[in-house]
């Protein structure tokens, strides 16, 4: 595999209720990686319509996700922030990848099984082909690193499989067109830290999710201080004191989750948190967690509100990002067309 220029790509769906899991699993990583990499962060609106969306809410959610990136510290002047549907090459490359990926690969995707549920016949074709679009998002920019939460691991593996199969299927043409041994890098997932899978506040065995019917199961980035405090106080726990060692969290999913959230928000390890709170009861720990969550999240929520109050500013940021993304996308897509054998 030749060396590819390091580049970060990641995306977040504009489907409402951005929550602490999105923030700790993905968005905080986006901010960190800006220091060391060229980064492209995308509001993946084409992905959102794989299930029904209200057009007005979708438009508001697209702006809200862009605002969340910026409020959390992503700098759209140094890096690229845009929404997917403004760069037509995402859909174009996804089609090529639909023809590279195999039915069997997509049939194994657990997210499709979960989202389609029992009524598979009624799921959209887009929901099934979703991972090919995700592979196209990443590979359109020949990105090498993809910060995501644990739940996206399988999709990332599929993106690597697509890249590898394309490189193999078209090896001769890739070389003949002057691209050497491989056209696409095999993108590496970056799933790191203590909060790669933030769990529901109501059930430590279930992932914190936008679609959970109970709003108390998650902390939304738009929640105010009182709401955050209430949700943390109501969060499910068990009757025992907090353990002093990480091993003691083993069979205690709710305690493990809250300690992990504290650690991630405070930039610590779980062991550090237990050094401070081990042996104590949950109410002391929860008070500290309320203070920490409010201190970290409320300023982001406030800034998101300020930014979304001026949609024309956000739209300008997205249009500028899309123009810069398109420049890279065009070059990749032109090369892909030559490699595949299209006449242009
Ligand atoms: P999405 O929109 O569901 O979630 C956005 C990011 O948040 C992470 N995440 C979590 N991390 C920790 N704990 C949780 N409870 C939690 N819930 C969500 C997700 O792992 C993700 O990183 N398919 C993607 C969007 C996408 C994408 C891409 C990502 C489309 N194209 C290309 C990377 C590269 C998705 O639905 O994420």
């Amino acid at each position: 595999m030749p060396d590819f220029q390091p580049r970060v790509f990641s995306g977040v769906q504009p489907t409402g209720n951005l929550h602490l899991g999105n923030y700790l699993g993905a968005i905080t990583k986006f901010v960190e990686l800006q220091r060391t990499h060229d980064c492209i962060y995308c509001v993946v609106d084409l992905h959102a319509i794989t299930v029904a969306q209200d057009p007005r809410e979708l438009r508001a959610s697209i702006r809200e996700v862009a605002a969340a990136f910026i409020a959390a510290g992503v700098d759209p002047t140094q890096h690229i922030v845009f929404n997917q549907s403004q760069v037509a090459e995402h859909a174009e490359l996804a089609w090529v990848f639909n023809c590279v990926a195999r039915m069997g690969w997509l049939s194994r995707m657990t997210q499709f099984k979960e989202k389609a549920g029992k009524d598979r016949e009624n799921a959209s074709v887009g929901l099934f082909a979703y991972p090919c679009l995700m592979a196209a998002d990443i590979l359109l920019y020949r990105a090498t690193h993809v910060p995501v939460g644990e739940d996206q691991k399988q999709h990332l593996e599929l993106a690597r499989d697509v890249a590898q199969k394309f490189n193999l299927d078209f090896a001769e043409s890739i070389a003949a067109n002057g691209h050497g041994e491989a056209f696409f890098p095999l993108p590496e997932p970056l799933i790191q830290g203590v909060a790669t899978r933030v769990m529901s506040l109501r059930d430590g065995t279930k992932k914190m999710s936008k679609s959970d019917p109970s709003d108390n199961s998650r902390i939304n980035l738009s929640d105010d201080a009182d709401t955050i405090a209430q949700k943390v106080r109501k969060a499910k726990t068990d009757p025992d004191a907090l353990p002093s060692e990480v091993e003691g969290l083993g069979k205690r999913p709710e305690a493990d989750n809250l300690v992990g959230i504290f650690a991630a928000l405070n930039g610590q390890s779980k062991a550090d948190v237990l050094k401070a709170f081990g042996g104590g009861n949950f109410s002391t720990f929860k008070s500290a967690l309320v203070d920490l969550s409010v201190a970290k999240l409320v300023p982001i929520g406030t800034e998101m509100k300020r930014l979304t109050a001026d949609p024309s500013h956000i739209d300008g940021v997205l249009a500028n990002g899309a123009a810069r993304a398109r420049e890279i996308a065009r070059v990749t897509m032109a090369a892909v067309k030559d490699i595949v054998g299209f006449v242009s």
Side-chain angles (χ1 to χ4, degrees), residues 9-159:
F9 182 96
S10 196
V12 175
Q13 289 200 62
T15 41
N17 292 330
L18 271 185
H19 55 70
L20 186 64
N22 301 128
Y23 177 66
L24 293 177
I27 301 173
T28 55
K29 310 289 168 56
F30 298 1
V31 178
E32 280 167 29
L33 285 160
Q34 294 183 110
R35 281 189 275 121
T36 47
H37 289 74
D38 285 334
C39 303
I40 304 178
Y41 297 129
C42 185
V43 185
V44 290
D45 47 12
L46 296 176
H47 279 91
I49 63 162
T50 54
V51 297
Q53 300 295 336
D54 174 277
R56 234 169 317 155
E57 281 173 22
L58 178 61
R59 202 167 290 124
S61 286
I62 293 168
R63 291 177 179 137
E64 185 169 272
V65 174
F69 289 172
I70 298 166
V74 170
D75 180 353
T77 62
Q78 298 299 312
H79 300 274
I80 296 179
V81 173
F82 74 108
N83 60 311
Q84 193 184 21
S85 61
Q86 291 206 54
V87 180
E89 285 84 355
H90 285 257
E92 214 176 346
L93 184 59
W95 179 258
V96 175
F97 288 170
N98 283 344
C99 303
V100 172
R102 306 289 93 184
M103 290 289 287
W105 300 1
L106 293 174
S107 305
R108 284 192 282 277
M109 294 292 113
T110 51
Q111 186 169 300
F112 173 75
K113 290 184 207 164
E114 278 166 24
K115 284 202 176 175
K118 287 201 181 81
D119 197 10
R120 265 205 215 186
E121 291 293 306
N122 212 21
S124 73
V125 175
L127 190 66
F128 185 71
Y130 177 117
C132 287
L133 178 59
M134 181 160 160
D137 299 339
I138 300 162
L139 296 170
L140 192 51
Y141 305 96
R142 300 213 270 172
T144 52
H145 295 87
V146 186
V148 281
E150 176 74 38
D151 61 345
Q152 296 300 315
K153 193 168 176 227
Q154 198 185 29
H155 287 158
L156 256 296
E157 280 159 13
L158 188 121

